[in-house]
């Protein structure tokens, strides 16, 4: 096998590993996360079933993108979407943990974060400082 072929194979294996790791991370923790959020076993597995149905439904548009823009673009778009959704998943988990730690709801914590950003920017300081 020449060096170019090894490079392509190495890149493919790394991308496959990272994609599988990200998907497994979400899928492996998702059921526990849903159960911890108060869903019953039936509701959690129903949510997972709808997720799987969404994957099946979006297979066709992904194929269209691959046919029109190329397989590489389609793969990179999917990998980027998975990366963003994984980061959002982790972000929301951290926000929920911070809210629970402070005895507030997620909405209250997000409101406090927005107020802090607004004060830092200098937007309507009088409105936020009195709250």
């Amino acid at each position: 096998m020449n060096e170019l072929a090894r490079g392509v194979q190495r890149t493919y294996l790394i991308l496959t590993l990272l994609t599988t790791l990200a998907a497994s991370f979400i899928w492996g923790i998702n059921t526990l996360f849903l159960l911890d959020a108060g869903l019953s076993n039936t509701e959690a597995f129903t949510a997972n079933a709808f997720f799987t149905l969404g994957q099946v439904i979006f297979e066709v548009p992904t194929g269209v993108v691959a046919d029109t823009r190329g397989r590489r673009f389609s793969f990179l778009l999917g990998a980027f979407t998975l990366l963003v959704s994984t980061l959002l998943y982790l972000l929301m988990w951290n926000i929920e943990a911070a809210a629970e730690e402070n005895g507030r709801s997620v909405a209250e914590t997000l409101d406090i974060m927005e107020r802090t950003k607004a004060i830092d920017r200098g937007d309507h300081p009088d409105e936020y400082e009195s709250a």
Side-chain angles (χ1 to χ4, degrees):
M1 187 180 307
N2 65 26
E3 191 60 37
L4 180 61
R6 283 189 195 136
V8 169
Q9 184 180 29
R10 188 178 318 116
T11 301
Y12 172 77
L13 291 174
I14 289 170
L15 289 174
T16 301
L17 172 72
L18 293 175
T19 303
T20 303
L21 180 64
S24 298
F25 175 73
I26 290 176
W27 195 253
I29 294 176
N30 188 51
T31 302
L32 297 175
F33 183 75
L34 294 174
L35 293 173
D36 186 55
L39 273 66
S40 69
N41 282 341
T42 304
E43 292 166 335
F45 285 107
T46 301
N48 287 339
F50 278 109
F51 174 79
T52 303
L53 179 65
Q55 284 182 314
V56 170
I57 290 171
F58 283 103
E59 283 293 321
V60 172
T62 303
V64 171
V65 170
D67 290 343
T68 57
R69 299 290 306 264
R71 290 178 293 180
R72 180 179 182 181
F73 179 81
S74 178
F75 177 80
L76 292 175
L77 181 63
F80 177 75
T81 304
L82 183 59
L83 172 69
V84 169
S85 63
T86 302
L87 293 176
L88 286 173
Y89 195 82
L90 290 172
L91 174 70
M92 290 308 296
W93 200 336
N94 289 334
I95 288 173
E96 182 182 15
E100 287 178 2
E101 185 177 301
N102 295 318
R104 293 185 166 88
S105 70
V106 172
E108 288 173 322
T109 302
L110 290 174
D111 184 51
I112 290 168
M113 290 170 65
E114 186 57 40
R115 287 180 187 197
T116 304
K117 287 180 192 174
I119 291 170
D120 289 344
R121 287 189 311 260
D123 295 344
H124 311 290
D126 297 331
E127 176 186 334
Y128 290 111
E129 288 176 7
S130 63

